[in-house]
Amino acid sequence: MSRLKEIKPNVSRADLKDYVITLFGVPKSGKTTLAYNLGIEMYGTTEKSLLIGFEDGYKALPGVMAESIKDWSDFKELVDDLIEDKEDNGDKSQFQFLILDTIDEMSEMAAKVVLPRLSKLDGKTYKNVDDVGFGRGTSAVRKEIMPVIKQLHKAGYGICAITHDKEKKMEPKVGQAYDVTTLSLSKTLSEGIENMSDFIVFINIEVEKVNGKNQPNRYMYFRSDTTFRAGSRFKSVPEKVEWGAKNFLDVFKEAVAETNKGYKDSTVIRTPLPLEHREEDSDEDFESEEVHTETNEKNVVYDPMATKEKIKKLDAAGKEIIKKFVKTEFGLTKLPNISDTEKYMAIQNQIDSL
């Protein structure tokens, strides 16, 4: 029973060392620079982040703490040293945030270890993981890589995985095929990286008209659309913000703060529905179902009814924007149940952005 007594309620913290971030995007979009700047913005120094260079893309970063990796065994030795440092020093260890640059080259190094093993097992000579039948090659690379990354994160390091982008054709069972921009990794490894990531951020360079002239701007996308992959475990994130470490951390900190809003004394607080507001929304095409909850004014920290009232006061264009947001974000044609506080917080953020 002593172990059970040590289990405590989770409270999200806005500290990079608690999370796994994946950055991907077009060439020269600033993926490595962004990761490097995140560590500086978070910890106020270059010396709390370690860039693990599977490729040498960090030469232009002043003051960067970097370790160039020669091969897979060299990386494994570094992993042992990092874990030992955490075991000995905990939060006072030398580094808090690890940048894996890039996962593409990391997988190439892992493949050089995996292929001889599979060649010996099958009595064949494999030169490429795709030569190994039934996807066993890419699966073996994933099994070599993922436990090591998880081991580092479990030891107490924040992880930033950097990879490139690629176009992938999606062929749904219903409807036409379409292209989507996603991680430039094998399907097997992509799934592993995506599953463990708390943020998957797509960085894109877009040309916009400024004072009549074309000007390239960089954006960080935190949510997917039909043309690219992105996402977060946190609901309260914007679709995109301008590229930059401060902007990233502002999104990150706000998302954590929103997640913790309903938490108090080991109880997730749900806002009750006041009796006088239990009527249907007047818009027949965009209304929420009536929900009966018990009133407990002591625990009220956020009132979704205030958000509903704001929706009513929007003009037709504003209501249409919110309607599309609710459909895209939650797959609903009506407002959520009034008891679903988190969804109303997200809707409120959308209203504030209008």
Side-chain angles (χ1 to χ4, degrees), residues 37-66:
N37 287 337
L38 282 175
I40 297 174
E41 192 74 26
M42 179 90 257
Y43 301 111
T45 177
T46 64
E47 297 182 5
K48 285 298 180 182
S49 304
L50 176 64
L51 192 151
I52 301 175
F54 297 95
E55 59 182 56
D56 293 338
Y58 56 84
K59 301 299 186 182
L61 300 176
V64 65
M65 304 290 284

Side-chain angles (χ1 to χ4, degrees), residues 281 302-315 318-319 322 335 344 347-349 351-352 354:
D281 209 279
Y302 169 76
D303 184 7
M305 288 307 305
T307 299
K308 285 192 69 177
E309 290 301 318
K310 288 183 179 180
I311 294 172
K312 290 180 181 180
K313 294 177 182 179
L314 293 174
D315 58 22
K319 287 183 178 179
I322 298 302
L335 286 172
Y344 273 90
I347 294 170
Q348 179 63 55
N349 288 338
I351 293 173
D352 291 343
L354 296 179

Side-chain angles (χ1 to χ4, degrees), residues 206-353:
E206 302 172 9
V207 177
E208 301 172 329
K209 285 282 186 181
V210 179
N211 297 325
K213 296 182 180 180
N214 289 335
Q215 178 176 307
N217 287 320
R218 289 180 288 181
Y219 290 97
M220 303 176 293
Y221 284 84
F222 289 82
R223 292 209 305 259
S224 297
D225 69 7
T226 57
T227 62
F228 61 84
R229 297 294 299 273
S232 168
R233 297 194 195 281
F234 296 92
K235 294 182 179 180
S236 299
V237 294
E239 177 189 0
K240 70 175 183 178
V241 296
E242 287 192 27
W243 179 94
K246 184 179 184 306
N247 289 343
F248 188 109
L249 288 186
D250 285 345
V251 170
F252 168 55
K253 291 175 182 178
E254 180 64 24
V256 172
E258 286 293 329
T259 294
N260 287 332
K261 269 188 177 179
Y263 176 83
K264 183 179 180 182
D265 298 330
S266 304
T267 302
V268 176
I269 301 169
R270 298 298 185 191
T271 305
L273 175 62
L275 294 173
E276 63 270 22
H277 289 299
R278 289 184 182 171
E279 76 277 3
E280 296 284 341
D281 209 279
S282 58
D283 188 341
E284 292 182 359
D285 295 327
F286 191 43
E287 57 187 19
S288 61
E289 297 178 2
E290 185 177 350
V291 172
H292 297 281
T293 60
E294 295 181 2
T295 301
N296 183 356
E297 294 181 358
K298 181 180 178 181
N299 287 337
V300 175
V301 294
Y302 169 76
D303 184 7
M305 288 307 305
T307 299
K308 285 192 69 177
E309 290 301 318
K310 288 183 179 180
I311 294 172
K312 290 180 181 180
K313 294 177 182 179
L314 293 174
D315 58 22
K319 287 183 178 179
E320 186 62 25
I321 291 172
I322 298 302
K323 191 172 184 177
K324 288 180 179 178
F325 172 79
V326 171
K327 185 174 182 180
T328 302
E329 188 73 9
F330 311 122
L332 302 175
T333 57
K334 298 180 179 181
L335 286 172
N337 289 338
I338 200 69
S339 61
D340 200 332
T341 308
E342 291 182 355
K343 286 188 174 65
Y344 273 90
M345 286 180 176
I347 294 170
Q348 179 63 55
N349 288 338
Q350 185 67 18
I351 293 173
D352 291 343
S353 70

Side-chain angles (χ1 to χ4, degrees), residues 102-141:
T102 62
I103 299 296
D104 307 69
E105 292 300 321
M106 182 185 190
S107 64
E108 290 293 327
M109 288 187 183
K112 290 179 181 179
V113 172
V114 164
L115 287 173
R117 193 184 304 159
L118 292 174
S119 295
K120 183 177 180 180
L121 181 66
D122 295 349
K124 298 180 179 181
T125 301
Y126 296 124
K127 295 183 178 181
N128 190 291
V129 290
D130 292 329
D131 297 337
V132 187
F134 305 103
R136 290 169 53 236
T138 54
S139 179
V141 169

Side-chain angles (χ1 to χ4, degrees), residues 13 17 48 82-97 154-157:
R13 298 189 302 175
K17 67 185 178 67
K48 285 298 180 182
L82 286 166
I83 291 175
E84 182 180 351
D85 191 30
K86 273 292 181 185
E87 290 174 346
D88 292 343
N89 302 302
D91 285 346
K92 294 182 180 179
S93 58
Q94 185 174 359
F95 300 109
Q96 302 296 333
F97 188 53
K154 190 173 182 179
Y157 290 103

